[in-house]
Amino acid sequence: MKRFLVIAPHTKEGCAKAIQQIEAAGYITHFDWGCKDGEHCGWAIIEAENPKQALLVVPSSDRPQARAVMLTKFGTSEIGDSHR
Ligand SMILES: [Zn+2]
């Protein structure tokens, strides 16, 4: 299983709806939000097989704007290798 950072922006107008939909889908505890700082976006780390599957946590109305980035942890011995 891979881990993805799901980045799910929404508009200020769509804020309450976006959060309600994620709560209804059962993913509210996965998400952190920038809304109170004026950044209307949710971030969550989701385990999935691929980015498409990770994005299923985002309501379909906000999914076209959402992105999923695969996350990798490097150990100290790998840091040099990743830049070669
Ligand atoms: Zn918001």
Side-chain angles (χ1 to χ4, degrees):
M1 205 67 115
K2 295 165 186 160
R3 290 184 315 127
F4 292 88
L5 176 65
V6 171
I7 304 163
H10 55 264
T11 60
K12 192 180 173 188
E13 294 71 35
C15 186
K17 187 169 156 250
I19 294 170
Q20 276 167 12
Q21 285 180 327
I22 285 186
E23 186 175 29
Y27 290 105
I28 195 72
T29 58
H30 287 70
F31 274 84
D32 280 291
W33 303 95
C35 303
K36 286 195 173 177
D37 199 22
E39 179 76 25
H40 286 275
C41 187
W43 294 271
I45 293 174
I46 301 293
E47 288 197 341
E49 292 296 337
N50 54 57
K52 201 176 165 191
Q53 190 187 0
L55 287 173
L56 292 177
V57 304
V58 180
S60 55
S61 55
D62 290 331
R63 207 172 293 152
Q65 300 88 263
R67 293 191 299 135
V69 179
M70 192 177 78
L71 298 176
T72 305
K73 270 195 172 64
F74 291 120
T76 47
S77 62
E78 295 165 87
I79 291 170
D81 293 341
S82 68
H83 293 288
R84 271 178 211 148

